[in-house]
C-alpha cells in the first residue's frame, strides 16, 4: 500500500516532507529528488527541522559545499566523500576535521596533516590512536615535530612505544626540529614497563638509557629482543645479567634458553652455572667449572632428584672431592648406573661398600618381584632363599614394613637385626610383635622400644619374654 501511495504523496512536496522523518521506518519511500530537496532548502528552514529528516547524498554534499547551507549537515558527516566536500570548503574545513561522527582514515590524516601541520593538533585530541606507525612514517617533518610535542605533553607512551623507529629516525637527523623531543621521548620509553622495542638490537644498544631498560624492563621482552644479538657480539656479561633476572623472576625455561647462549669459554660461565644450581636446576655436565664445594654438593643432589647422575661425564669426577666422588658412586650403585670400570677403580673400602649396596639393591629387586608375583605354595621356597643369604640387607628389612605378612615372616625367623627389631616393636603389626617376642625374646632395650611405640598396650602381656641376664 505504501509503495502505491508514496508516488502520489511525492507529487506534493510539502506533504511528502511530513513522512521523511528519520523516526519513520518508511521514510525512504517518500524521499524527494535532489532538485526538489534543494528547492525546499533554498527557503532556509530551521536546522532542527532539516536534521529531523532524511536527505539524499547529493543534497547533503551540495549543502556542505555551499556558503549558506553547510550548517545543516556539518555536525553529522557520514562518509569520506562528505568529509572531503566539507574540507574543501574553506568555511567548514576546521569543523569538518573536528566532526565527531566521522573518523578520518589513515590516508585522510596523512593528507590533511601534510597540507597543514597545524591540523595535527585537532586530530591528536580527536583520534590519537589513529597515529599508527604506518601513518606517522608518511607525515611531513613539520607534522612529525608537532606530533612528538603532543606525545611528550600528554605522556602518550603507549602510542610512542609503537613509533620508536620514527623516534630513532628523528634522533639521527641532527638538524631536525623534532630531534630533542624524540630524544626525550625515547629516554622516557626506556623506563616505560610496557615498552616492547621494534627497532633493531644494535640500534637499541646505542641509545641513552639502554642499560636502564636492560635492567628494568620485563625480562621476557628483553631476552626475546636481545639474547641472540648479545651472543653474536660476545656480550656474555649482559647475557649473564639477563640470566640472573630470569631466574629471579622464576622464568626457568627462558633462563635455560639464555644459559645455552653463554659460551663455556667466557669469564661468566662458572658464575652462570652457580646461579642455575642455586635456583634449583641440575647441571650434570658442568662439574668441571670452578664451583664451590657447596654448589657441587647441591648440584649432585639435584642431579639425583632429576635422575641425571648418569649424565655426569667421568672425566669430571676428578673435579670432585673424595667425599663427593664416593657419594656419587654410591648413588650410581643405588640407581643401577654404576659401571664395571667405576667399581674396579674404587678403593678397596669403597668397593666393598659399593658391593654391599649392589647386593642390597639386588635383594630389593628380588623381593619386589616375589611380593607382586608370589603364588600359593612358593612362600617356603622364598623364605629359604632369604635364609641362604649371607647378609640380609637393611633395605630388605625396611621393605617389609610395607607388607604386613612379611613382617610376621621376618619376626618368626629372626631375620631382623637389632635396629629393625626396635622399629618392629615400635610400629609393626600386633601379630608380628607377638611372634617376635615369643620366638626371639626381648632385651630390656627392645622392651623399652615396645613401651615407647604404638604397640605399648601389648607390654603387660609380653613382659614375661624379657630375657634375663642380658
Amino acid at each position: 500500500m505504501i509503495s502505491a501511495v508514496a508516488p502520489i504523496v511525492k507529487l506534493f512536496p510539502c506533504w511528502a516532507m511530513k513522512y521523511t522523518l528519520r523516526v519513520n521506518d518508511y521514510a525512504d519511500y517518500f524521499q524527494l529528488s535532489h532538485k526538489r530537496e534543494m528547492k525546499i532548502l533554498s527557503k532556509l528552514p530551521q536546522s532542527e527541522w532539516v536534521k529531523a529528516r532524511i536527505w539524499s547524498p547529493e543534497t547533503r554534499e551540495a549543502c556542505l559545499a555551499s556558503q549558506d547551507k553547510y550548517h545543516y549537515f556539518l555536525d553529522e558527516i557520514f562518509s569520506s566523500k562528505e568529509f572531503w566536500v566539507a574540507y574543501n570548503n574553506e568555511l567548514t574545513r576546521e569543523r569538518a576535521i573536528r566532526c565527531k561522527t566521522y573518523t578520518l582514515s589513515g590516508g585522510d590524516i596523512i593528507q590533511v596533516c601534510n597540507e597543514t601541520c597545524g591540523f595535527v593538533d585537532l586530530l591528536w585530541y580527536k583520534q590519537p590512536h589513529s597515529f599508527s606507525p604506518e601513518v606517522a612514517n608518511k607525515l611531513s617533518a613539520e607534522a612529525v615535530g608537532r606530533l612528538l610535542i603532543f606525545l611528550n605533553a600528554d605522556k602518550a607512551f603507549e602510542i610512542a612505544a609503537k613509533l620508536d623507529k620514527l623516534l630513532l629516525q628523528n634522533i639521527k637527523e641532527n638538524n631536525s626540529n623534532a630531534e630533542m623531543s624524540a630524544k626525550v621521548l625515547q629516554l622516557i620509553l626506556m623506563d616505560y614497563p610496557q615498552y616492547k622495542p621494534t627497532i633493531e638490537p644494535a640500534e637499541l644498544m646505542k641509545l641513552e638509557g639502554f642499560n636502564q631498560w636492560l635492567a628494568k624492563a620485563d625480562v621476557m621482552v628483553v631476552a626475546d629482543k636481545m639474547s641472540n644479538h648479545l651472543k653474536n657480539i660476545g656480550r656474555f656479561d649482559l647475557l649473564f645479567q639477563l640470566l640472573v633476572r630470569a631466574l629471579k623472576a622464576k622464568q626457568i625455561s627462558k633462563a635455560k634458553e639464555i644459559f645455552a647462549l653463554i659460551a663455556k669459554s667466557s669469564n661468566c660461565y662458572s658464575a652462570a652455572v652457580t646461579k642455575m644450581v642455586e635456583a634449583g636446576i641440575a647441571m650434570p655436565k658442568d662439574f668441571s667449572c670452578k664451583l664451590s664445594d657447596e654448589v657441587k654438593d647441591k648440584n649432585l643432589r639435584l642431579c639425583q632428584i632429576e635422575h641425571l647422575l648418569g649424565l655426569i661425564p667421568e672425566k669430571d669426577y676428578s673435579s670432585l672431592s673424595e667425599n663427593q666422588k664416593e657419594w656419587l658412586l654410591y648413588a650410581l650403585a643405588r640407581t643401577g648406573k654404576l659401571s664395571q670400570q667405576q667399581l674396579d677403580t674404587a678403593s678397596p673400602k669403597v668397593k666393598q661398600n659399593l658391593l654391599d649396596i649392589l647386593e642390597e639393591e639386588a635383594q630389593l629387586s628380588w623381593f619386589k618381584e616375589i611380593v607382586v608375583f608370589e603364588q600359593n605354595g612358593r612362600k617356603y621356597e622364598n623364605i629359604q632363599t632369604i635364609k641362604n643369604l649371607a647378609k640380609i640387607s637393611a633395605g630388605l628389612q625396611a621393605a617389609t614394613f610395607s607388607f604386613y605378612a612379611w613382617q610376621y615372616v621376618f619376626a618368626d625367623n629372626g631375620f631382623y637385626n637389632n635396629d629393625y627389631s626396635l622399629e618392629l616393636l615400635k610400629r609393626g603389626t600386633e601379630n608380628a610383635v607377638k611372634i617376635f617376642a615369643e620366638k626371639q625374646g626381648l632385651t630390656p632395650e627392645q622392651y623399652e622400644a615396645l613401651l615407647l611405640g604404638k604397640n605399648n598396650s601389648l607390654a603387660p602381656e609380653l613382659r614375661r619374654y624379657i630375657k634375663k641376664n642380658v
Side-chain angles (χ1 to χ4, degrees):
M1 179 181 288
I2 292 173
S3 299
V5 172
I8 299 172
V9 174
K10 289 166 67 174
L11 294 174
F12 307 93
C14 292
W15 187 18
M17 292 306 295
K18 295 180 179 180
Y19 298 99
T20 58
L21 292 168
R22 291 184 181 184
V23 295
N24 181 9
D25 294 337
Y26 304 102
D28 289 343
Y29 288 93
F30 299 93
Q31 187 171 353
L32 301 174
S33 66
H34 165 54
K35 185 176 180 180
R36 287 189 172 185
E37 287 180 335
M38 291 303 295
K39 187 174 182 180
I40 290 172
L41 290 174
S42 66
K43 299 176 183 179
L44 298 177
Q46 291 293 318
S47 293
E48 290 75 14
W49 185 89
V50 174
K51 291 177 181 179
R53 288 162 169 75
I54 65 169
W55 303 89
S56 67
E58 295 84 358
T59 298
R60 293 174 58 85
E61 292 162 18
C63 288
L64 287 170
S66 73
Q67 303 293 302
D68 59 351
K69 302 182 186 67
Y70 60 81
H71 59 280
Y72 290 137
F73 304 111
L74 187 56
D75 294 330
E76 287 188 329
I77 295 174
F78 294 134
S79 68
S80 177
K81 191 172 183 181
E82 288 183 8
F83 168 77
W84 285 110
V85 169
Y87 178 82
N88 289 324
N89 184 341
E90 291 187 2
L91 294 174
T92 62
R93 180 166 296 174
E94 184 173 324
R95 284 182 63 185
I97 294 172
R98 292 180 185 274
C99 182
K100 294 181 179 180
T101 61
Y102 179 71
T103 300
L104 275 68
S105 67
D108 294 340
I109 291 175
I110 293 167
Q111 183 174 338
V112 167
C113 292
N114 285 348
E115 285 181 4
T116 308
C117 68
F119 286 148
V120 172
D121 309 32
L122 301 179
L123 288 170
W124 170 256
Y125 289 115
K126 178 187 174 185
Q127 50 187 91
H129 287 280
S130 295
F131 287 92
S132 65
E134 293 75 21
V135 169
N137 286 326
K138 294 180 181 178
L139 295 179
S140 66
E142 292 77 10
V144 167
R146 294 194 69 83
L147 175 61
L148 294 185
I149 290 173
F150 290 110
L151 289 172
N152 268 317
D154 292 347
K155 299 181 180 180
F157 305 136
E158 179 186 349
I159 296 174
K162 298 175 182 178
L163 301 177
D164 59 351
K165 285 185 179 178
L166 180 68
L167 299 181
L168 179 62
Q169 178 184 330
N170 280 275
I171 290 171
K172 289 180 176 180
E173 294 174 2
N174 294 329
N175 296 321
S176 168
N177 293 330
E179 179 187 359
M180 186 53 67
S181 294
K183 282 183 177 179
V184 171
L185 199 52
Q186 186 65 62
L187 188 59
I188 292 172
L189 284 181
M190 289 301 196
D191 198 34
Y192 177 57
Q194 285 74 46
Y195 177 41
K196 295 181 180 180
T198 64
I199 57 182
E200 293 303 312
E203 297 285 1
L204 192 61
M205 290 185 71
K206 297 175 185 177
L207 292 173
E208 186 179 353
F210 169 74
N211 290 329
Q212 179 182 350
W213 176 77
L214 187 73
K216 293 180 66 176
D218 183 275
V219 67
M220 299 292 280
V221 172
V222 178
D224 289 343
K225 186 70 182 180
M226 300 300 304
S227 290
N228 286 319
H229 179 71
L230 294 176
K231 176 199 171 185
N232 293 337
I233 64 174
R235 289 302 303 270
F236 302 113
D237 56 324
L238 297 183
L239 276 175
F240 176 71
Q241 288 183 33
L242 271 183
L243 173 69
V244 172
R245 290 195 58 211
L247 291 172
K248 187 175 181 180
K250 308 295 184 186
Q251 298 288 351
I252 303 303
S253 295
K254 183 57 68 175
K256 289 180 177 179
E257 289 179 20
I258 296 169
F259 177 82
L261 299 175
I262 300 176
K264 205 161 189 173
S265 58
S266 67
N267 294 332
C268 57
Y269 189 81
S270 294
V273 174
T274 297
K275 290 294 182 182
M276 294 286 277
V277 172
E278 288 175 347
I281 303 168
M283 307 295 288
K285 298 182 179 180
D286 293 297
F287 281 93
S288 60
C289 296
K290 294 179 181 179
L291 307 175
S292 68
D293 282 343
E294 182 182 354
V295 172
K296 287 179 182 178
D297 284 341
K298 184 172 183 178
N299 198 15
L300 282 171
R301 281 157 182 75
L302 288 171
C303 289
Q304 182 186 39
I305 292 169
E306 297 183 26
H307 308 291
L308 300 175
L309 290 172
L311 295 182
I312 300 174
E314 290 194 29
K315 63 181 179 60
D316 287 0
Y317 287 13
S318 60
S319 64
L320 301 174
S321 67
E322 287 303 315
N323 288 337
Q324 290 169 342
K325 197 181 302 181
E326 286 183 22
W327 184 94
L328 176 56
L329 292 175
Y330 294 152
L332 289 171
R334 290 197 180 281
T335 56
K337 297 188 183 299
L338 187 72
S339 68
Q340 183 69 53
Q341 182 182 1
Q342 290 166 335
L343 180 64
D344 291 342
T345 55
S347 67
K349 179 183 176 182
V350 173
K351 183 174 182 178
Q352 185 55 56
N353 291 337
L354 290 171
L355 289 172
D356 290 342
I357 292 172
L358 292 172
E359 177 65 25
E360 180 175 80
E361 293 300 319
Q363 290 180 14
L364 284 171
S365 179
W366 169 81
F367 182 68
K368 289 174 184 176
E369 287 189 12
I370 67 167
V371 167
V372 175
F373 299 110
E374 189 178 59
Q375 297 179 9
N376 293 334
R378 296 284 306 277
K379 187 170 285 287
Y380 176 78
E381 198 178 307
N382 293 327
I383 293 171
Q384 190 61 44
T385 299
I386 297 174
K387 287 180 178 179
N388 293 336
L389 293 174
K391 177 184 177 182
I392 301 174
S393 70
L396 180 55
Q397 294 177 63
T400 62
F401 285 88
S402 300
F403 303 97
Y404 297 152
W406 279 93
Q407 284 184 34
Y408 187 91
V409 170
F410 270 56
D412 186 33
N413 289 277
F415 291 160
Y416 286 123
N417 63 21
N418 186 59
D419 289 340
Y420 282 97
S421 295
L422 297 175
E423 282 297 307
L424 175 73
L425 292 164
K426 286 181 181 179
R427 62 187 183 93
T429 63
E430 288 190 7
N431 287 339
V433 170
K434 286 180 180 179
I435 194 66
F436 178 85
E438 292 171 6
K439 290 289 189 76
Q440 315 300 329
L442 297 173
T443 65
E445 182 186 15
Q446 290 170 338
Y447 185 69
E448 286 179 12
L450 178 63
L451 290 172
L452 293 169
K454 72 169 190 173
N455 294 304
N456 58 3
S457 62
L458 297 175
E461 177 186 347
L462 302 181
R463 195 177 194 286
R464 66 181 184 275
Y465 296 114
I466 298 177
K467 298 173 184 177
K468 294 184 173 61
N469 301 321
V470 177

